[in-house]
Amino acid sequence: MSPYLFIVSRRDHALFELLKERFAGDDKVEVILDRRMQPEPGAPPGVDRRIRPEVTEEIRTRGYAVVTLS
């Protein structure tokens, strides 16, 4: 498992490709597209273990988030 995970917005394929190319061959970094389902406005919070508000906000505002894995 890579210690750094770049999670890129599903809407930004160009950034995804750029980061994949930039970190190709770096076994410490993995770049993925955000696979989480976005809840409908007003829907009750789900139990998806992948939902992390700070990561969601970073992806929304910057287009990506970097998560350090243990």
Side-chain angles (χ1 to χ4, degrees):
M1 181 182 291
S2 305
Y4 299 101
L5 181 64
F6 277 76
I7 306 170
V8 181
S9 170
R10 285 185 266 183
R11 288 177 243 134
D12 200 340
H13 288 276
L15 178 59
F16 173 73
E17 293 299 329
L18 178 75
L19 291 172
K20 287 288 280 190
E21 183 179 314
R22 166 61 181 89
F23 292 107
D26 188 336
D27 61 350
K28 295 182 180 88
V29 177
E30 183 177 358
V31 181
I32 64 169
L33 283 173
D34 186 11
R35 298 183 302 242
R36 299 172 305 161
M37 299 301 295
Q38 301 301 316
E40 294 293 321
V47 292
D48 189 339
R49 65 178 175 76
R50 297 174 296 183
I51 299 297
R52 293 176 53 185
E54 68 280 4
V55 171
T56 300
E57 183 62 19
E58 283 185 49
I59 293 170
R60 188 183 69 71
T61 58
R62 294 192 316 193
Y64 71 94
V66 180
V67 177
T68 304
L69 304 173
S70 52

